[in-house]
Amino acid sequence: MWYYEKKLQYPVRVGICNPRMAKFLIEQYGGADGELAAALRYLNQRYTIPSRVMGLLNDIGTEEFAHLEMIATMVYKLTKDATPEQLKEAGLGEHYVDHGKSIYYHNAAGQNFNMGIQSKGDPIADLYEDIAAEEKARSSYQWIINVSDDPQINDSLGFLREREIVHSQRFREAVELLKEEQSKKRVF
Amino acid sequence: MSTSRKWYTPYVSPNDPCPPLGPISYETPVQLYLGFQPRGMEQFSPFEALTHGTLWPGLFTPYTNPYLSKREELNTDG
């Protein structure tokens, strides 16, 4: 079960009224390498991974939901005061017709989240998948930072990008733990 | 000490339709080099850790838009 803390993992400030940024950010919300996919993937894989690293998947999967919340906050702030006309100009006309001001799980191109998450039941295959997913999420944040001109949003995105780095590092360590020869003495 | 950004220059054809963009960067953050994190690594203060997104300076690899900083970085890296 989970306990919910009524605050964001890291503060979200949006400094520039630019609804177009919402269209880019939604990639990390409902995209293939987004936070929702990550959370669902880890919390699903954890059942069939050796118990030494099960807790890691549980913790990181939980943190991904905290990231999802930060992205949702950014998207909401950027769209809540926009007129339908402004949303149309920002490329969000289709989104508005389909979902109104609601946030929705789709990618930057408007494709619905399709549950195409990876889970193979092979510990090494799953962890390599997760390392790749973290590196892909890290790059997505880089590309969004490159197209953003809002230093305050970029500050929050920089935080999220650094978390992907830490997660990748931990998954790499998990692979090392599982690779370890059982008769060998452990030296760190 | 590893660098977290590398550059390469793609081939420029005399028949390219657009002017060349110049060197292309890609990121090589610290987790590619660290291996198993050693015990007792130096830590940030809790507040610094929150603002940086990690407890350890050794894991902190910040990112800046390379299109904005390209010229400076290329000059400092030679």
Side-chain angles (χ1 to χ4, degrees):
Chain A
M1 73 175 276
W2 278 267
Y3 287 101
Y4 183 77
E5 208 162 329
K6 248 188 189 354
K7 61 184 180 193
L8 293 177
Q9 188 189 11
Y10 185 84
V12 167
R13 284 268 174 80
V14 181
I16 298 174
C17 173
N18 177 10
R20 190 170 287 272
M21 269 305 288
K23 189 174 164 66
F24 302 144
L25 286 164
I26 208 83
E27 180 66 30
Q28 286 302 77
Y29 194 67
D33 308 314
E35 303 290 356
L36 177 68
L40 295 178
R41 187 172 57 244
Y42 304 149
L43 293 176
N44 183 73
Q45 290 177 354
R46 66 182 163 154
Y47 292 97
T48 48
I49 207 98
S51 43
R52 289 183 83 181
V53 299
M54 182 189 285
L56 178 74
L57 285 170
N58 195 48
D59 289 351
I60 296 182
T62 300
E63 185 180 343
E64 304 294 0
F65 277 122
H67 296 175
L68 189 69
E69 224 178 15
M70 287 177 61
I71 300 292
T73 305
M74 292 176 197
V75 172
Y76 173 69
K77 283 182 180 227
L78 284 164
T79 52
K80 74 184 174 77
D81 295 313
T83 63
E85 198 53 44
Q86 287 170 323
L87 290 174
K88 214 164 82 182
E89 279 166 24
L92 289 166
E94 293 83 357
H95 178 112
Y96 181 70
V97 170
D98 210 0
H99 305 289
K101 291 280 184 84
S102 156
I103 302 166
Y104 197 71
Y105 296 114
H106 53 196
N107 67 12
Q111 208 168 40
N112 285 347
F113 183 71
N114 69 1
M115 270 302 288
I117 60 158
Q118 299 296 322
S119 205
K120 201 68 189 173
D122 177 272
I124 298 300
D126 280 350
L127 285 170
Y128 275 123
E129 183 75 45
D130 299 342
I131 292 168
E134 294 291 340
E135 303 297 351
K136 285 192 275 183
R138 171 183 59 75
S139 352
S140 295
Y141 281 120
Q142 290 168 194
W143 309 157
I144 297 172
I145 289 170
N146 289 357
V147 296
S148 157
D149 50 5
D150 183 340
Q152 292 184 298
I153 276 200
N154 284 356
D155 179 58
S156 303
L157 295 176
F159 172 89
L160 290 168
R161 176 183 171 276
E162 177 63 31
R163 295 310 300 156
E164 311 294 350
I165 288 177
V166 176
H167 292 171
S168 171
Q169 167 68 20
R170 297 297 170 242
F171 285 134
R172 286 161 196 266
E173 289 169 353
V175 170
E176 294 307 311
L177 284 174
L178 298 188
K179 271 163 65 182
E180 202 171 67
E181 300 294 335
Q182 294 181 340
S183 55
K184 217 173 123 188
K185 210 178 145 204
R186 288 169 67 183
V187 183
F188 291 131
Chain B
M1 188 75 189
S2 54
T3 54
S4 61
R5 179 170 290 165
K6 311 279 187 286
W7 297 87
Y8 69 98
T9 308
Y11 170 69
V12 177
S13 159
N15 301 319
D16 282 346
C18 305
L21 196 53
I24 309 285
S25 70
Y26 59 96
E27 302 298 304
T28 52
V30 64
Q31 76 273 20
L32 304 183
Y33 306 97
L34 188 61
F36 215 108
Q37 181 175 333
R39 276 179 188 278
M41 263 171 68
E42 188 198 341
Q43 296 186 358
F44 285 125
S45 72
F47 180 76
E48 282 177 318
L50 172 66
T51 56
H52 289 109
T54 176
L55 185 53
W56 296 274
L59 275 180
F60 182 52
T61 321
Y63 177 76
T64 50
N65 183 343
Y67 294 94
L68 296 179
S69 57
K70 185 145 86 176
R71 201 156 294 154
E72 300 156 30
E73 283 188 36
L74 280 178
N75 286 341
T76 51
D77 288 0

